[in-house]
Structure formats: structure tokens, C-alpha cells
Amino acid sequence: MELVPDQQSEIPLQQQKLAEKDLQVVLDGNPGLAGAKIGRALKVSDRSHVFELEFRGEISVAKLFRTDDAPQIVRDAEKNLKELEPSMSSGDCRLNRCLAAIPDDGLLIVEFVPGSALNEILPKDDPARRSALLQHAARWLDRFIGQRREAAPLRGRYWAKYYLDWPRDHLSPEDAALSYRLHSEILARADEISGDETVRGIVHGDFAARNLHFHDGIMYGVDVQDVRWQVVARDVARFLVWNEMYDTGHRGARWCGLSEPDVRSFLSGGLLSETETRVALPFYIGEQLLQRMLWTMTARQRRDMARTAIEHFL
């Protein structure tokens, strides 16, 4: 389990140099990558090193995965990117292209996308503009899934039980008690919705505003190495909950603990059916709120936002 920081902080110089050395070894060991020049570090963690890379005369992004399953991650990402390239290389919803893949070394080189991450540009004082960008994000996910979707029964109890053994000793007594209340509610809802029909499909897997870039009217998706078959409503819940936790300042009324105007804007294009919105989405919003409380909410402000959202959800 990788603990994801609230924000990517400045990378310590020594850590950056070690990661750059690891990447250079891989580049030097592959003649087809001769001449590639490493640029600035974008992310360095135990799981992956990400750098800008000058490759074949253009700026690209090199991702060096460091986990035991790195070869499979690279193979899957390459396959997904190449399969989707024909349908997502033009129009206003796009993916960055795969430029090279060396699975045995855990290396993936992808096209550099322009613009800024969606979470950096979502306006807080222009409701119409904000709504339009959220609708665009939903269109991106809908296009990404495409025809790769099918009807399936809900199996909510898997996710409800998933968190049973997650530690809570890092939480205050009050937050631990709140997490148990939320978990109990999720377990109860799991039994209620079990067997109800929903839609699952090939989803992004880490669908969040930080993994969408916007430039000149085009929404670009990045970081598709976590693509999987999953209930679509769970990817939607992940996006909406992440947005609530990492955006400063709540707007408007609440729906299931989240900003009702944001939820309404995102769903306005019909990505989810009325039944999915009423049954599956609230369950997965609760599940994602629990995950945020137990997992990544390290900054006080984020935890306060999670606590407030959970209290309204309950």
C-alpha cells in the first residue's frame, strides 16, 4: 500500500539524484533510447520515479516503476494506451500517446501533455466555468470507457469488508469513532444494495482532477497504469470525493456530504443512470470518504474537510 501525500512536495535533492541515477542506468542499457536526456524530476517515490525526458527531439515523460509488478504495469499501460490511441488522439478528450515501453526494466515513456492539471485551474468564483470543466471531465471518462462496459450486479460488500483490518491508530479517538460509524453505515448499505444492477467497465482506476490536464479546450488524461474493470460509479465517486478533499472552500448545498453543485454538474451529461446515481453512487461516495479518512488525509485541513463531509454523509 502506497501512502499518497496530500500534495507532491519539493523532492529532496539527494533523493532526486538517486532516482535520476536509476533512470540513467536503464537508458544506458537500451540502445533504442540512446540520446535521451533526463530533465526535471516530477515525482519520486518508492513506487515510481517520474522525470521529464528529451526523447526523439521532443519533451516527453519517463516513468520508471520500482515495484515487483513493474513489468506488468508497463505492459498493461502500453496496451491500454495503444488500444485507445485511435479514439482518443483527436477531439476534445484525449490521452497522451505511448512513445516507448521497456517492460523488463519497468520503463514507460509517454507524450508530454500541455496545460495545467484540472485541480489547479478549477475556478472557485466562476460557477459557470467550473460547471463546464466538470462536465468536460465527465465526458472524458465516458469516452475513455467507450463501449467497454456491461451490466453487472452490485457487490458492495467486497469494498465494505475491504477496510475491516485497516489500522486506525493514527487517528484521534474522535476521528476513529467517526470512521467506525461510517464503516457501519457502509456495511449496512452493502447488504441493502447487493444484487442491484449497475454498470461496470474499463475505468481509469485513479480518476482524479490531478490526472486530467486542460489546454485550449482539450481535456487530456494521464497516468493510466491503473486501468481496470470496475463499477463506473466507483470511479465517479473517487473523482468527486478527491475533488472535495483537495479543493479549498466548499460551495453550495451538500449531497451525500459533497458539493451538490459539483455533483450535479459532473452528472449532467448522463454518465450514470438515475438508478446508479440513487443507489450505487452514494454507497461508493461513503466508501471513498472512509478510504480518505483511513489512508491519505495527513494534512490537518484535509482531515477537517473529510470529517465535515463524513458528518454530512451520515
Side-chain angles (χ1 to χ4, degrees):
M1 181 191 309
E2 179 191 11
L3 294 181
V4 181
D6 292 311
Q7 298 290 342
Q8 178 65 33
S9 57
E10 185 175 347
I11 303 168
L13 183 59
Q14 184 62 26
Q15 188 180 6
Q16 179 177 329
K17 286 183 175 180
L18 290 172
E20 184 175 339
K21 182 178 178 181
D22 288 344
L23 177 56
Q24 190 63 59
V25 167
V26 174
L27 296 176
D28 291 343
N30 289 275
L33 305 178
K37 297 179 180 179
I38 301 174
R40 67 188 177 102
L42 302 176
K43 175 184 175 182
V44 174
S45 71
D46 292 339
R47 185 172 187 264
S48 63
H49 307 332
V50 184
F51 285 83
E52 285 186 359
L53 187 74
E54 185 179 331
F55 179 61
R56 297 174 182 169
E58 61 182 88
I59 298 298
S60 60
V61 175
K63 299 183 177 186
L64 184 63
F65 296 95
R66 310 302 292 163
T67 54
D68 291 341
D69 60 345
Q72 191 60 49
I73 290 174
V74 173
R75 279 191 289 269
D76 289 345
E78 179 187 25
K79 176 178 179 289
N80 285 311
L81 286 169
K82 290 188 174 179
E83 284 181 353
L84 287 162
E85 186 173 335
S87 62
M88 299 197 72
S89 59
S90 61
D92 66 353
C93 297
R94 303 185 189 182
L95 276 172
N96 50 352
R97 295 177 297 120
C98 177
L99 303 178
I102 314 293
D104 288 346
D105 290 325
L107 178 64
L108 182 71
I109 302 176
V110 296
E111 181 181 33
F112 182 87
V113 299
S116 301
L118 182 60
N119 61 295
E120 296 174 356
I121 63 170
L122 269 176
K124 298 169 177 57
D125 54 0
D126 185 345
R129 175 65 172 161
R130 183 180 182 88
S131 178
L133 286 169
L134 290 171
Q135 291 175 52
H136 200 158
R139 289 203 313 277
W140 186 94
L141 180 59
D142 192 41
R143 186 169 179 183
F144 179 85
I145 300 169
Q147 299 301 312
R148 305 176 302 171
R149 63 184 88 197
E150 64 185 18
L154 272 169
R155 294 288 184 261
R157 197 157 184 84
Y158 169 83
W159 288 111
K161 294 172 64 177
Y162 180 71
Y163 301 99
L164 285 174
D165 297 326
W166 280 40
R168 289 170 168 81
D169 52 5
H170 62 293
L171 300 177
S172 69
E174 294 78 12
D175 284 348
L178 183 62
S179 75
Y180 281 119
R181 283 180 57 207
L182 177 58
H183 204 164
S184 295
E185 175 68 17
I186 292 170
L187 284 164
R189 292 195 184 203
D191 289 334
E192 292 173 5
I193 68 174
S194 180
D196 284 3
E197 187 172 287
T198 188
V199 174
R200 64 176 198 136
I202 294 288
V203 298
H204 185 282
D206 190 13
F207 188 55
R210 66 183 178 188
N211 287 330
L212 293 172
H213 284 232
F214 187 78
H215 180 71
D216 283 350
I218 300 172
M219 194 75 73
Y220 296 88
V222 300
D223 286 355
V224 299
Q225 61 269 6
D226 293 318
V227 168
R228 67 196 70 176
W229 273 97
Q230 183 175 268
V231 173
V232 174
R234 187 169 188 264
D235 235 30
V236 171
R238 181 181 182 84
F239 180 91
L240 294 170
V241 169
W242 193 97
N243 211 45
E244 185 78 23
M245 297 300 100
Y246 288 84
D247 200 356
T248 56
H250 179 84
R251 281 157 298 282
R254 290 183 183 268
W255 184 82
C256 290
L258 309 183
S259 168
E260 191 271 341
D262 282 1
V263 175
R264 185 177 64 249
S265 295
F266 190 86
L267 297 179
S268 62
L271 177 59
L272 299 182
S273 69
E274 185 277 332
T275 300
E276 288 175 289
T277 301
R278 176 174 49 84
V279 178
L281 184 58
F283 171 79
Y284 287 111
I285 286 174
E287 179 261 325
Q288 286 291 299
L289 285 171
L290 179 62
Q291 183 186 96
R292 293 295 162 187
M293 174 62 82
L294 297 181
W295 187 0
T296 62
M297 293 289 100
T298 54
R300 177 179 296 179
Q301 181 186 30
R302 311 298 178 207
R303 189 168 296 285
D304 289 345
M305 295 169 80
R307 186 184 304 111
T308 300
I310 291 169
E311 288 170 346
H312 279 87
F313 178 87
L314 293 170

